[in-house]
């Protein structure tokens, strides 16, 4: 089987939903900014791109009607370039990367862009089905057959995150400490210029936006402890959960033949692509068995991985992952995670990949592993080798 290589991985800075620097951007224009940057920075012929795979969770409103295709039409790519939109919940653009790599590894295509975009300001989370319900159309995503099978009326990520915290015995203080550390690491990364190579500046109506604006500096355990829990008597709060964020990201994936044809220098080689699924009620624990399966299929051990990116949907998720696998916390989310930098849903997959690749380069690491929990009890794992 042929190899698949990542020759560039980029993201926009994260803008706080409803309050941040990207609220004035139509999501198609926001995503197009990343597509343009991938082509410009690699110098590849834009007409040579064979497909654009775009992750997006809330496909409604400004993110409806062939959203991936609209990114292409809003970009400098020729309209001969096709596109498709992918929904694997929070892992949508990580799955886009998997599909892109699989197309290249199979020999079907040589040059594919995997991307993601989500404006949680302009298309609020859940609005694609909540508005239907409010208008009296249908009963929602879960028919009675599913409700009866799993004994629930719906599936809640908040309930899942709390269930995991309870299962692993994480206290409110421990999760707040984890959250505070995420902000500290993210602030340090911004101050040191660690994100410079991965961030695409965005020209907004208010000016150029190029710095993650959700990072809270000067926070304390006391201030985090004052935030109300999401559930009565619970320990999950907005302070130890990911921030709702606007953003876009993408990666250019190519074959060895394309490397030679366009004189491209690869940043990383795809080592393993894994996706698994499990309990949809606890929902967010699946990165643990998915990581075990990915390492087994790659013939690797956790000690061989230099850096981990585990999405901080809630503090309990990476904490459970660390505890269950016995991983080194010093290798985890070294530049902060979604608690500080935000979680723009469909964009988070290739966002984390951009951060992982650039962090490996800065630190001289060789192997990186990325995983995230996803709605429905699914998880993707990607292992890469920095070149």
């Amino acid at each position: 089987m042929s190899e698949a290589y990542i020759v560039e991985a980029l993201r926009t800075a994260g803008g706080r939903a409803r309050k941040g620097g990207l609220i004035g951007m139509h999501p198609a224009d926001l995503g197009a900014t990343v597509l343009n940057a991938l082509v410009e920075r690699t110098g590849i012929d834009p007409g040579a791109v064979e497909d654009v795979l775009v992750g997006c969770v809330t496909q409604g409103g400004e993110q409806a009607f062939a959203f991936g295709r609209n990114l292409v039409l809003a970009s400098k790519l020729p309209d001969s370039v096709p596109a498709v939109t992918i929904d694997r919940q929070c892992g949508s653009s990580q799955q886009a990367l998997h599909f892109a790599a699989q197309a290249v590894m199979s020999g079907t295509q040589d040059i594919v862009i995997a991307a993601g975009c989500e404006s949680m300001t302009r298309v609020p989370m859940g609005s694609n089905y909540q508005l239907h319900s409010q208008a009296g159309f249908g009963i929602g995503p879960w028919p009675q057959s599913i409700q009866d099978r799993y004994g629930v009326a719906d599936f809640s990520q908040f309930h899942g995150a709390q269930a995991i915290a309870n299962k692993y015995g994480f206290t409110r203080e421990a999760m707040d400490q984890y959250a505070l550390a995420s902000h500290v690491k993210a602030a340090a990364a911004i101050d040191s210029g660690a994100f410079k190579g991965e961030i695409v500046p965005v020209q907004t109506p208010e000016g150029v936006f190029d710095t993650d604006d959700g990072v809270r500096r000067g926070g304390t355990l006391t201030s985090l402890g004052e935030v109300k829990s999401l559930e009565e008597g619970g320990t999950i709060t907005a302070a130890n959960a990911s921030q709702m964020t606007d953003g876009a990201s993408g990666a250019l994936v190519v074959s060895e033949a394309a490397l030679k044809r366009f004189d491209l220098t690869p940043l990383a080689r795809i080592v393993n692509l894994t996706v698994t699924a499990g309990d949809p009620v606890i929902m967010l624990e699946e990165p643990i068995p998915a990581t075990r399966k990915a390492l087994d299929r790659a013939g690797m051990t956790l000690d061989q991985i230099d850096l981990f990116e585990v999405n901080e949907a809630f503090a309990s998720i990476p904490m459970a992952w660390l505890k269950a696998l016995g991983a080194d916390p010093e290798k985890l989310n070294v530049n902060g995670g979604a608690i500080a930098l935000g979680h723009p849903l469909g964009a988070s997959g290739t966002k984390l990949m951009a951060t992982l690749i650039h962090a490996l380069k800065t630190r001289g690491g060789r192997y990186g592993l990325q995983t995230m929990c996803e709605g429905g009890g699914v998880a993707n794992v990607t292992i890469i080798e920095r070149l």
Side-chain angles (χ1 to χ4, degrees):
M1 184 177 291
S2 300
E3 301 280 10
Y5 300 91
I6 299 173
V7 295
E8 189 58 280
L10 302 169
R11 68 177 180 93
T12 68
R16 293 176 66 193
R18 300 189 297 276
K19 300 177 182 178
L22 295 175
I23 60 175
M25 293 291 295
H26 191 290
D29 288 327
L30 181 61
T33 302
V34 172
L35 301 189
N36 291 338
L38 289 170
V39 170
E40 291 165 2
R41 295 196 188 188
T42 58
I44 200 165
D45 174 8
V49 176
E50 294 170 272
D51 208 353
V52 177
L53 315 179
V54 177
C56 180
V57 173
T58 310
Q59 295 179 34
E62 293 182 352
Q63 293 173 175
F65 197 78
F67 180 56
R69 175 63 171 164
N70 289 341
L71 264 64
V72 170
L73 299 181
S75 76
K76 296 179 182 178
L77 294 171
D79 57 18
S80 59
V81 176
V84 67
T85 317
I86 296 166
D87 174 10
R88 187 159 261 165
Q89 296 295 279
C90 298
S92 295
S93 57
Q94 187 170 0
Q95 184 59 55
L97 179 65
H98 283 206
F99 284 152
Q102 288 165 349
V104 167
M105 294 165 78
S106 71
T108 306
Q109 295 171 320
D110 289 304
I111 304 168
V112 183
I113 290 177
C117 184
E118 200 90 30
S119 175
M120 299 183 76
T121 294
R122 300 168 75 98
V123 189
M125 181 171 60
S127 59
N128 56 339
Y129 63 87
Q130 291 168 354
L131 293 177
H132 285 75
S133 176
Q134 292 166 11
F137 297 122
I139 63 169
W142 303 289
Q144 194 62 47
S145 57
I146 292 178
Q147 296 178 43
D148 291 344
R149 179 177 179 182
Y150 291 99
V152 295
D154 60 19
F155 296 96
S156 167
Q157 60 177 328
F158 306 110
H159 293 320
Q162 186 64 61
I164 290 171
N166 296 343
K167 177 178 178 178
Y168 288 88
F170 299 139
T171 64
R172 164 74 181 268
E173 183 178 10
M175 290 188 287
D176 284 350
Q177 285 178 329
Y178 180 95
L180 185 60
S182 183
H183 285 282
V184 170
K185 288 188 287 185
I190 291 171
D191 293 344
S192 69
F195 295 137
K196 291 289 187 182
E198 69 192 62
I199 288 182
V200 178
V202 180
Q203 183 63 54
T204 76
E206 288 73 38
V208 175
F209 180 76
D210 62 3
T211 303
D212 300 289
D213 65 12
V215 180
R216 299 186 180 96
R217 298 172 183 267
T220 65
L221 278 178
T222 299
S223 63
L224 267 64
E226 293 171 349
V227 179
K228 185 179 178 181
S229 60
L230 298 180
E231 296 180 355
E232 187 68 32
T235 53
I236 300 294
T237 75
N240 57 40
S242 58
Q243 296 184 43
M244 291 189 289
T245 305
D246 306 329
S249 61
L252 183 62
V253 182
V254 307
S255 66
E256 188 170 356
L259 290 178
K260 296 175 180 177
R261 177 184 172 192
F262 291 97
D263 192 26
L264 299 168
T265 301
L267 296 178
R269 177 181 70 89
I270 300 292
V271 174
N272 177 265
L273 307 166
T274 294
V275 61
T276 69
D279 186 345
V281 178
I282 198 167
M283 190 185 299
L284 309 179
E285 196 177 19
E286 193 59 22
I288 295 168
T291 297
R292 292 191 178 112
K293 182 174 182 178
L295 290 169
D296 182 61
R297 295 190 65 175
M300 301 179 71
T301 63
L302 210 58
D303 291 341
Q304 291 177 275
I305 308 296
D306 297 293
L307 292 178
F308 311 117
E309 283 288 331
V310 179
N311 193 40
E312 293 175 356
F314 301 87
S316 58
I317 309 310
M319 289 172 68
W321 186 89
L322 283 171
K323 186 173 183 178
L325 297 173
D328 183 353
E330 296 301 314
K331 296 180 178 181
L332 175 68
N333 300 351
V334 293
N335 289 328
I339 290 172
L341 297 166
H343 178 19
L345 299 185
S348 287
T350 40
K351 174 184 184 291
L352 264 60
M353 182 54 66
T355 297
L356 178 59
I357 287 176
H358 288 274
L360 283 169
K361 181 179 179 181
T362 299
R363 294 165 181 261
R366 182 178 180 184
Y367 291 108
L369 182 149
Q370 173 191 330
T371 186
M372 68 173 69
C373 55
E374 300 156 5
V378 183
N380 284 77
V381 178
T382 314
I383 300 175
I384 60 166
E385 179 186 17
R386 184 186 69 86
L387 300 174

